[in-house]
């Protein structure tokens, strides 16, 4: 485990050395007992990152909402025709 950690750290140092000029990134680390996640966000491409991360869930919610509304409209339409 220690050897793998050292290899990872060495790779990170090499990556930082390869970058020309300073990078403007915000690094956020989430830690829990079981999982540790580091998220790096490039402020210059924040909109693109958000679009990639949020696009599919938002599309799914919109599709589900549309389906529910169509079902509700059909149900109310049938009920009003039967009652009227």
């Amino acid at each position: 485990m220690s050897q793998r950690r050292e290899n990872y750290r060495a790779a990170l140092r090499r990556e930082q050395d390869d970058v020309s000029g300073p990078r403007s990134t915000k690094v956020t680390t989430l830690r829990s007992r079981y999982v540790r996640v580091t998220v790096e966000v490039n402020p210059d491409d924040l909109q693109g990152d958000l679009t990639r991360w949020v696009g599919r869930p938002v599309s799914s919610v919109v599709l589900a909402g549309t389906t529910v509304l169509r079902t509700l409209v059909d149900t109310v339409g049938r009920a009003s025709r039967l009652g009227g």
Side-chain angles (χ1 to χ4, degrees):
M1 180 75 171
S2 178
Q3 179 65 36
R4 187 166 53 177
R5 182 181 301 153
E6 291 305 317
N7 288 342
Y8 176 73
R9 288 180 179 161
L12 286 177
R13 282 191 295 272
R14 281 194 305 272
E15 181 181 303
Q16 290 173 353
D17 292 340
D18 292 343
V19 175
S20 60
R23 286 175 38 180
S24 172
T25 59
K26 174 152 173 69
V27 177
T28 302
T29 302
L30 307 173
R31 295 176 190 208
S32 75
R33 182 175 174 185
Y34 302 104
V35 178
R36 187 171 82 189
V37 177
T38 300
V39 178
E40 293 187 21
V41 178
N42 182 354
D44 298 329
D45 193 31
L46 183 60
Q47 183 178 3
D49 289 341
L50 287 176
T51 301
R52 277 192 303 274
W53 296 340
V54 178
R56 180 165 280 168
V58 169
S59 296
S60 298
V61 168
V62 168
L63 180 62
T66 302
T67 304
V68 167
L69 287 175
R70 285 183 182 158
T71 304
L72 183 63
V73 167
D74 288 346
T75 304
V76 169
R78 287 183 190 144
S80 65
R81 280 183 289 194
L82 292 175

